[in-house]
Amino acid sequence: MPSQGVKLYVQDKHVVLDNGILQVTISNPDGILTAIQYNGIDNLLAVENQEADRGYWDLVWNLAGSKGTKGKFDRIEATSFEVIVENEDQVELSFTRTWNPSLEGKVVPLNIEKRFIMLRNSSGFYTYAIYEHLKEWPAFNLDRFRVAFKLRKDKFHYMAMADNRQRYMPLPDDRLPYRSQTLAYPEAVLLVDPMETEFRGEVDDKYQYSCENKDNRVHGWICNDPPVGFWQITPSDEFRSAGPHKQNLTSHVGPTTLAVMHSVHYSGEDLILKFGSNEAWKKVFGPIFIYLNSLSDAGGNPLSLWEDAKQQMRIEVQDWPYTFPASQDFPQSHQRGNVSGRLLVKDRYVCKDYIPANGAYVGLAPPGDVGSWQSEVKGYQFWTRADEDGYFCINNIWTGDYNLYAWVPGFIGDYKYDVIITPSAGYDIFMGDLVYEPPRDGPTLWEIGVPDRTAAEFYVPDPSPMFVNRLYVNHPDRFRQYGLWERYADLYPDKDLVYTVGVSDYTKDWFFAQVTRKNDDNTYQGTTWQIKFKLDCAANETETYKLRLALATAHAAELQVRVNDDGKSPLFSSGQIGKDNTIARHGIHGLYRLYHVGIPGNLLLEGDNTIFLTQPKSTSPFQGIMYDYIRLEGPASSNGNKKP
């Protein structure tokens, strides 16, 4: 029997999309989702909320020159409605808000078009948006934008975002002031009198469910009665800012599901989109897919809906770029290009031959400096991973100008191919063999950690028994527990960390973050860590040794380095760095930073030596640094360490 085609019903204040599987109701002309009817449930969205507070695109913006990452919240309400496509196979709708000078200072100076698509036989719908800033329009800052869905709290209680990150969740009512205690920031609360007693004594914090873009493909909620899943699927990262390792929020207590296109979380002000008054810009965000599923077998396990959602995610990824969006601003596959090649590593102190860049992250991003992709926010990025032999292929690239960037697990620093690459529609570019030479002056004398841009390999303590999220007990992501920064003072109440090369084990003896120490009077003080090591022979006083300091994140910190004398002026100071707020938000990494500190040989002693790593000042409990990797190199002329 043929399936029902897609039908559109246009009413005075709403439009309804119906393909016989689900019905989606959108306010007219605002373009805000007010109802989703599916599998006998009249509305999956939060019926207790106002219609404008159920399913919507939003953003936070501010005037040019504003400081900080706070701004004006805008739940984007369109002012005009248009049917773009209407037939039995597809309906595509457009809701547009057009800016004009009379709105200056009141509304973000952007033309914003929100689109919604329903297809025949599809158990869900798609949404995407087109943002445009004309050259003559005012300057402004854009902090974040996303799509938010608020679901029925009486229906959706189980949240899933990964095979090992899913659980029954507290209710939003459990976060009310008389049922919870606010902790160090408003997003984190201790559940002291939840409606469901099983959650008593747990911490709830939406940042505990953050995820890297590259892993943020599907997440959502399950309703048990009737068994229904609500899933947000993002098949591509090309429109997300700051590259594959940028972390964003996913789902959290509400029940809420987010599709974050851009945010400053885990990066701070470095990721604010700052537009000049003479700057034209246009970008397509999405499409993303909202997928609904249910059980055909009444006795089936509702948790199997997660497995089905993952399978649907794989289908959506395979189908990218979609062929059905009707906007001319979204290029089809034949309008895109491909870039391939091979990346090799040259490090003469590791191997005399070229080393295949096994597992390297290789990507195209707008032209910039080395490593600039991690703070690039206005253009498109396209990333892949090299195979074990270093071969890579980046497909479906928008035409335009790019640099090719990469970083290789196991090696510090960033690679950049300096020549601008301009993929053309329908053409393949083969780059041949590319060679990355990581920073290196001499042989490794010692090292701490693994160069993987995170602090996950270091010692992550158990949380205080007062601040536990049971999901992360004995979990690979144990760093997502709340309050771990205060565990440093518990472990080192009087003296700071001392690490002895050759004796200490960084998985047990190197605390995952160099944070401040909390005093008994609730003030905080800076900390100094020591690295003790031996030189078997006298240092060459005329040569320079090199200390490589790779940081996984920094927040309002200053890193000072001294050698063999903690009282003298620092040999190196980073100045104040970072506004990543990663320590508070359980992120294990933010923006990557790499410093190279030259140590004159006359400062080193035969026998015992100490490097002091100091944070001299303290203003907050979240101030600190996460190290990725530390290495001391001898000079190239070191005895017994000649070039192979």
Side-chain angles (χ1 to χ4, degrees):
M1 182 176 180
S3 63
Q4 173 186 316
V6 187
K7 296 181 179 180
L8 171 65
Y9 304 95
V10 180
Q11 305 166 354
D12 287 342
K13 294 185 179 180
H14 299 89
V15 295
V16 180
L17 295 166
D18 186 348
N19 67 358
I21 301 172
L22 71 156
Q23 269 189 7
V24 175
T25 303
I26 307 171
S27 63
N28 182 9
D30 308 70
I32 291 176
L33 287 140
T34 63
I36 300 173
Q37 182 178 326
Y38 175 73
N39 197 41
I41 303 177
D42 60 347
N43 195 352
L44 305 182
L45 300 180
V47 293
E48 66 273 14
N49 290 8
Q50 296 293 322
E51 283 197 347
D53 190 27
R54 296 178 184 175
Y56 52 87
W57 286 76
D58 69 27
L59 59 81
V60 174
W61 72 287
N62 219 326
L63 301 175
S66 300
K67 302 296 183 182
T69 57
K70 304 294 184 181
K72 305 175 184 180
F73 175 79
D74 181 358
R75 185 181 287 113
I76 302 164
E77 297 181 354
T79 55
S80 65
F81 161 68
E82 181 182 0
V83 179
I84 303 297
V85 176
E86 184 181 5
N87 58 55
E88 288 193 345
D89 293 321
Q90 174 176 343
V91 172
E92 181 164 347
L93 308 179
S94 169
F95 300 84
T96 302
R97 186 175 74 187
T98 304
W99 193 85
N100 64 70
S102 68
L103 300 172
E104 185 166 356
K106 303 174 185 176
V107 176
V108 61
L110 289 171
N111 286 337
I112 298 177
E113 182 182 11
K114 302 179 291 183
R115 292 202 178 192
F116 298 89
I117 302 171
M118 182 175 282
L119 304 178
R120 180 198 287 266
N121 293 332
S122 175
S123 187
F125 63 94
Y126 299 83
T127 183
Y128 66 109
I130 305 164
Y131 288 14
E132 182 179 31
H133 181 256
L134 300 186
K135 188 175 182 179
E136 62 271 19
W137 286 356
F140 73 103
N141 293 347
L142 195 55
D143 292 1
R144 75 153 198 246
F145 38 95
R146 63 186 190 178
V147 192
F149 298 94
K150 297 181 178 179
L151 308 180
R152 287 178 62 156
K153 65 181 182 180
D154 62 329
K155 293 287 187 182
F156 292 94
H157 299 151
Y158 192 89
M159 187 181 81
M161 54 177 296
D163 288 340
N164 65 352
R165 297 179 71 189
Q166 50 183 271
R167 63 169 298 184
Y168 284 99
M169 295 290 285
L171 294 170
D173 308 69
D174 295 335
R175 295 178 54 92
L176 294 172
Y178 62 90
R179 293 191 178 276
S180 66
Q181 173 189 335
T182 300
L183 299 175
Y185 45 87
E187 293 87 349
V189 299
L190 180 65
L191 305 177
V192 295
D193 186 25
M195 297 178 68
E196 297 289 341
T197 57
E198 64 183 287
F199 301 116
R200 180 175 289 123
E202 282 206 56
V203 170
D204 180 66
D205 180 356
K206 66 182 182 180
Y207 295 116
Q208 292 179 319
Y209 305 105
S210 295
C211 184
E212 288 189 354
N213 284 342
K214 65 181 177 62
D215 302 318
N216 188 358
R217 287 284 176 264
V218 56
H219 58 88
W221 293 81
I222 293 173
C223 166
N224 281 338
D225 186 21
V228 165
F230 182 100
W231 310 102
Q232 190 278 118
I233 295 176
T234 304
S236 172
D237 291 332
E238 66 182 40
F239 45 82
R240 286 170 165 163
S241 57
H245 308 290
K246 171 68 172 68
Q247 296 175 91
N248 281 309
L249 295 172
T250 57
S251 292
H252 59 80
V253 163
T256 298
T257 286
L258 303 175
V260 179
M261 309 296 177
H262 169 79
S263 82
V264 297
H265 291 145
Y266 305 97
S267 304
E269 293 184 47
D270 288 336
L271 257 64
I272 293 176
L273 282 80
K274 297 180 179 180
F275 293 92
S277 57
N278 199 35
E279 181 176 359
W281 177 74
K282 192 175 192 179
K283 188 172 179 181
V284 179
F285 297 95
I288 62 167
F289 184 44
I290 303 306
Y291 177 59
L292 309 178
N293 59 1
S294 59
L295 292 182
S296 56
D297 178 7
N301 183 357
L303 299 187
S304 66
L305 296 172
W306 164 248
E307 295 300 323
D308 177 70
K310 289 193 298 179
Q311 177 60 29
Q312 186 63 41
M313 176 270 291
R314 289 188 282 268
I315 293 171
E316 300 299 322
V317 171
Q318 184 67 33
D319 288 347
W320 188 270
Y322 296 136
T323 58
F324 50 80
S327 173
Q328 296 299 311
D329 292 309
F330 182 78
Q332 305 293 315
S333 181
H334 69 275
Q335 298 171 301
R336 299 172 178 234
N338 306 303
V339 172
S340 61
R342 187 187 192 200
L343 183 63
L344 304 169
V345 178
K346 182 181 179 181
D347 187 335
R348 67 185 186 274
Y349 290 100
V350 174
C351 180
K352 64 181 180 180
D353 298 320
Y354 289 120
I355 305 166
N358 181 8
Y361 291 87
V362 186
L364 296 181
D369 297 328
V370 173
S372 62
W373 56 268
Q374 69 171 342
S375 56
E376 203 290 315
V377 291
K378 294 180 180 177
Y380 300 92
Q381 297 197 26
F382 304 87
W383 287 83
T384 191
R385 292 200 75 176
D387 66 17
E388 61 183 9
D389 296 317
Y391 288 99
F392 63 87
C393 187
I394 307 170
N395 297 320
N396 297 308
I397 306 159
W398 290 54
T399 58
D401 293 339
Y402 301 92
N403 279 132
L404 185 143
Y405 302 93
W407 73 271
V408 186
F411 296 90
I412 59 173
D414 280 271
Y415 172 78
K416 173 191 168 186
Y417 184 73
D418 286 326
V419 178
I420 298 294
I421 301 171
T422 306
S424 300
Y427 286 91
D428 297 334
I429 297 175
F430 181 66
M431 305 289 295
D433 286 351
L434 308 175
V435 179
Y436 172 49
E437 295 190 48
R440 169 75 76 173
D441 286 2
T444 298
L445 299 184
W446 51 260
E447 58 188 350
I448 301 173
V450 178
D452 60 0
R453 299 190 176 226
T454 85
E457 70 268 27
F458 297 126
Y459 177 69
V460 178
D462 290 330
S464 164
M466 295 177 56
F467 303 125
V468 174
N469 181 324
R470 294 188 183 96
L471 174 62
Y472 295 114
V473 174
N474 298 320
H475 192 281
D477 293 353
R478 55 188 295 139
F479 55 82
R480 297 189 186 277
Q481 294 280 13
Y482 172 85
L484 298 183
W485 57 87
E486 291 193 346
R487 298 289 286 133
Y488 178 77
D490 296 336
L491 295 170
Y492 300 92
D494 303 312
K495 296 180 180 180
D496 284 326
L497 183 150
V498 177
Y499 185 92
T500 302
V501 173
V503 177
S504 301
D505 178 348
Y506 63 74
T507 66
K508 300 175 182 177
D509 303 317
W510 189 273
F511 197 75
F512 77 104
Q514 184 174 357
V515 291
T516 57
R517 179 188 287 104
K518 185 177 181 180
N519 298 317
D520 292 339
D521 60 358
N522 288 326
T523 61
Y524 296 85
Q525 67 183 61
T527 55
T528 296
W529 289 9
Q530 299 179 45
I531 303 172
K532 293 185 175 293
F533 63 99
K534 292 180 180 291
L535 289 181
D536 293 335
C537 57
N540 190 329
E541 295 188 359
T542 64
E543 296 275 12
T544 299
Y545 293 67
K546 191 62 63 75
L547 181 68
R548 311 283 185 186
L549 295 162
L551 308 187
T553 193
H555 180 72
E558 177 186 359
L559 175 59
Q560 295 180 354
V561 177
R562 294 174 174 83
V563 178
N564 286 332
D565 185 351
D566 191 29
K568 64 183 179 184
S569 298
L571 182 65
F572 166 82
S573 174
S574 66
Q576 189 176 79
I577 52 173
K579 288 288 186 180
D580 297 9
N581 221 3
T582 301
I583 292 169
R585 291 172 174 164
H586 337 292
I588 211 64
H589 72 87
L591 293 179
Y592 178 79
R593 295 171 174 85
L594 180 61
Y595 297 103
H596 315 284
V597 182
I599 301 177
N602 60 9
L603 295 182
L604 297 173
L605 309 171
E606 181 177 356
D608 295 333
N609 291 268
T610 304
I611 291 176
F612 299 90
L613 304 176
T614 299
Q615 283 195 82
K617 299 177 182 178
S618 175
T619 57
S620 85
F622 312 129
Q623 178 181 328
I625 290 167
M626 291 183 187
Y627 296 93
D628 163 45
Y629 175 74
I630 303 175
R631 180 172 76 211
L632 181 65
E633 298 171 9
S637 61
S638 295
N639 184 35
N641 292 292
K642 295 181 180 180
K643 179 179 177 181

